[in-house]
């Protein structure tokens, strides 16, 4: 854990203010690469960093490296629209996403790092009879699983989020919505930095600017990795590289059921508080919230073809903005400031793969696609268990790679359809 | 947006097309003989290549014909268009060249100094 002398507190703030904030220490080391580690995590996004953190904390494995080709959090962790919720349809998904949500609730305390987790509620809006039926089905399924969820009719939606257009005369009128009040948003960078700092304090080496270029395998056992900074030996490798999972799987001769696609988001100029919840719609394919800085944070969809270009088609942005403007006419004059894409790894059943492989010591945590930020702590928790014990935790047992042979898919297209 | 040269209609914007994914995946000749892993391979497992990919496209808001495209998925460059049933052209793929595996163009986090 973080040493007392290094803890952030009101006192450390005052102390550092007195020296003009010139003496803050780096939050994690920039270590020399060792020859060998007990485990190597490939990918320094949120899921990789939480995996290392929980390996050290829950399983006492501390001789670990997290190897990241760029900078930590520079992948989808730092590119997403930060929506956190657990209102998924099936029991297996509700269990893992709600486990994650519970970890979010204690995260800032646990890490001694403010991740600005804000339980402002997430509304999923219905625009036609099918939506109403589908969302009500999910509402009931959530209640049976102990996941908080409510149904709001049109007037209640308007009351909860006054800026939404509830006119019955628009092309896709608001017929109601589900509301998960425990859901919300968090500061994405802080999640990466907070877990990196926590893992580093337990001895984990965080190695940035180091790309993995090969997986060494001998007689069906992993022996190490090749990187742009040399060979590193290990008997356990956890691959957590999101959009690039297929690229790394190929190094080990494995084919995954993934398609990598650009997913885009954009933010507006900052304005005064106008929307204090998250509004999402599958049908018109748009979602919006407002950051603490005042920017509207708007998520678009994925492109209709595979690409690693890290930028999507402009038509996707246009479609999203059209939908947002019809649902929130008062946003029509706002200027958009920034816009970007991330490469997401999409699974055929819109559920993740957190799994062993047929190669001893090689594990994959991928397929989170458009919606894995919310799962960050839970994903690391169960993946650390899988790596430490060489068998899945009860929560990720349903998410093995073998489900594509057995046919036991966990179809979450309804809960995950709009990218988020 | 990509410009795609439909072999039947000529160059059109990508919004007129739908992508049908990896090309040249053959339907199993003897379906009853396949085991579960072979079915998984046919139905779900994909190369998902970063670099030269052969893929199917349909001109869904045009002539509605299927055809094949060779595209570099790292840069989005379209390298060739060819008809269904034709052999995939042998192409030099412009594989990612930088230490970080990023291509010379098309990547959001790459500075142009590297070549
Ligand atoms: C625009 C957008 C909006 C989104 N909105 C939401 C949302 O609102 N809610 C939600 O729950 N989810 C959302 N997501 C999805 C979410 O961002 C991801 O599922 C999640 O962040 C994945 O985390 P990760 O740690 O697995 O991946 P990443 O953060 O992408 O980390 C993977 C890391 O692996 C590294 N890597 C790749 N190849 C190599 C290599 N060869 N060697 C070393 N390192 C390598 C990459 O550089 C990267 O840093 C969104 C995604 C995008 C793109
Ligand atoms: Zn055509």
């Amino acid at each position: 854990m973080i040493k007392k002398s290094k803890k952030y507190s009101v006192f450390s703030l005052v102390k550092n203010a007195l020296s003009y904030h010139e003496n803050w220490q780096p939050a994690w080391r920039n270590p020399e690469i060792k020859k060998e580690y007990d485990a190597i995590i490939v990918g320094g996004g949120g899921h990789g960093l939480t995996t290392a953190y929980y390996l050290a904390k829950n399983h006492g494995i501390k001789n670990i490296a997290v190897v990241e080709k760029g900078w930590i959090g520079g992948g989808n962790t730092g590119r997403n629209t930060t929506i956190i919720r657990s209102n998924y349809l099936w029991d297996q998904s509700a269990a893992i996403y709600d486990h994650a949500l519970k970890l979010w609730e204690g995260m800032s305390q646990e890490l001694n790092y403010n991740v600005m987790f804000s339980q402002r509620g997430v509304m999923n809006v219905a625009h036609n009879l099918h939506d109403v039926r589908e969302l009500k089905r999910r509402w009931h399924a959530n209640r049976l699983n102990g996941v908080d969820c409510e149904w709001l009719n049109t007037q209640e939606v308007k009351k909860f989020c006054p800026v939404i257009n509830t006119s019955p005369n628009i092309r896709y009128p608001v017929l109601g919505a589900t509301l998960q009040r425990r859901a919300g948003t968090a500061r994405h960078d802080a999640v990466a930095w907070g877990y990196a700092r926590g893992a580093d304090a337990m001895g984990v080496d965080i190695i940035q600017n180091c790309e993995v270029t090969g997986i060494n395998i001998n007689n069906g056992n992993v022996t190490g990795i090749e990187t742009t900074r040399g060979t590193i030996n290990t008997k356990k490798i956890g691959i957590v590289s999101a959009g690039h999972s297929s690229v790394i799987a190929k190094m080990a001769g494995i084919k995954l059921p993934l398609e990598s696609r650009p997913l885009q988001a954009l933010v507006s100029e900052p304005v005064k508080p106008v929307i204090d919840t998250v509004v999402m719609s599958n049908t018109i394919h748009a979602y919006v919230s407002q950051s603490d800085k005042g920017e509207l944070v708007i998520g678009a969809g994925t492109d209709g073809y595979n690409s690693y270009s890290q930028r999507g088609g402009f038509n996707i942005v246009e479609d999203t903005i059209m939908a947002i403007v019809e649902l929130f006419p008062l946003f029509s004059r706002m200027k958009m400031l920034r816009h970007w894409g991330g490469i997401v790894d999409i699974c055929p059943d819109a559920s993740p793969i957190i799994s062993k492989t047929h190669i001893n010591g090689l594990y994959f945590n991928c397929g989170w696609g458009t919606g894995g930020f919310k799962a960050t702590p839970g994903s690391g928790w169960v993946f650390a268990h899988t790596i430490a014990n060489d068998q899945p935790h009860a929560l990720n047992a349903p998410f093995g790679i073998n489900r594509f042979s057995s046919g036991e898919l966990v179809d979450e297209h309804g809960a995950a359809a709009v990218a988020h | 947006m990509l410009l795609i040269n439909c072999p039947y209609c000529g160059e059109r914007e990508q919004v007129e097309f739908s992508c049908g994914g990896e090309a040249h995946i053959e339907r199993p000749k003897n379906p009853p003989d396949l085991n579960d892993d072979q079915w998984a391979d046919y139905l779900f497992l994909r190369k998902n290549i970063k670099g030269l990919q052969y893929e199917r496209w349909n001109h869904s808001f045009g002539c509605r014909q299927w055809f094949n495209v060779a595209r570099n998925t790292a840069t989005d460059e379209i390298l060739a268009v060819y008809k269904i049933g034709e052999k995939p052209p042998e192409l030099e793929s412009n594989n990612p060249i930088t230490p970080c595996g990023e291509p010379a163009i098309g990547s959001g986090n790459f500075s142009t100094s590297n070549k």
Side-chain angles (χ1 to χ4, degrees), chain A residues 69-71 74 79 209 211 213 228 243-244 246-247 250 255-262 303-311 313-315 318 345 348 401 403-406 409, chain B residues 1-2 14-15 18-22 36-41 43-51 53 55 57 71 73-76 98-103 105-109:
Chain A
K69 75 170 176 181
W71 63 95
R79 292 165 189 271
N209 297 313
E211 178 173 7
T213 53
T228 45
H244 279 73
S246 299
V247 175
K250 196 176 160 197
K255 238 161 105 186
L256 295 170
L258 299 176
E259 311 261 17
S260 293
R261 299 194 163 183
D303 283 280
Y305 49 87
N306 292 7
S307 173
Y308 289 86
S309 64
Q310 207 135 271
R311 56 178 189 185
F314 192 70
N315 54 308
E318 277 182 313
D345 43 337
I401 181 98
R403 75 177 186 271
F404 296 94
S405 298
S406 70
L409 303 189
Chain B
M1 190 185 307
L2 308 183
Q14 177 254 314
V15 279
S18 352
C19 184
E22 191 178 321
D36 291 348
D37 288 338
Q38 288 165 322
W39 273 118
D41 188 63
L43 290 172
F44 298 120
L45 304 192
R46 294 293 176 264
K47 289 184 192 149
N48 194 23
I49 284 169
K50 181 174 186 176
Q53 165 163 294
E55 57 195 18
W57 284 80
R71 183 172 58 97
T73 61
T75 60
D76 282 342
T98 70
C100 267
E102 300 304 336
I105 60 166
S107 167
N109 58 5

Side-chain angles (χ1 to χ4, degrees), chain B residues 6-10 12 16-17 59 62-65 67:
Chain B
C6 171
Y8 308 97
C9 312
R12 301 291 174 87
E16 290 188 17
F17 300 84
H59 194 181
C63 63
R64 306 189 60 190
Q65 303 257 34
F67 57 94

Side-chain angles (χ1 to χ4, degrees), chain A residues 91-127:
Chain A
D91 300 353
Q92 301 93 315
S93 323
I96 193 165
Y97 286 107
D98 210 53
H99 175 63
L101 184 47
K102 285 175 189 149
L103 291 170
W104 278 107
E105 287 172 332
M107 190 184 291
S108 291
Q109 287 296 327
E110 150 122 25
L111 297 177
N112 176 235
Y113 204 96
N114 187 0
V115 298
M116 295 162 82
F117 180 48
S118 157
Q119 291 176 296
R120 58 184 68 184
V122 170
M123 259 194 335
N124 288 86
V125 182
H127 302 279

Side-chain angles (χ1 to χ4, degrees), chain A residues 342-396:
Chain A
I343 302 302
V344 296
D345 43 337
I346 297 179
C347 233
D349 58 356
S351 285
I353 298 167
I354 316 165
S355 184
K356 296 170 58 163
T357 62
H358 67 271
I359 297 168
N360 284 328
L362 187 63
Y363 308 87
F364 275 89
N365 183 352
C366 57
W368 290 97
T370 60
F373 179 68
K374 61 177 74 65
T376 302
S379 160
W381 184 285
V382 299
F383 196 44
H385 180 106
T386 308
I387 294 174
N389 299 301
D390 195 37
Q391 56 181 348
H393 186 281
L395 287 174
N396 67 309

Side-chain angles (χ1 to χ4, degrees), chain A residues 43 46-47 68-69 76-77 80-81 83 212 242 370-374 420:
Chain A
H47 290 225
E68 163 58 47
K69 75 170 176 181
N76 294 342
T77 297
N80 76 90
T81 48
I83 299 172
V212 174
T370 60
F373 179 68
K374 61 177 74 65
H420 42 77

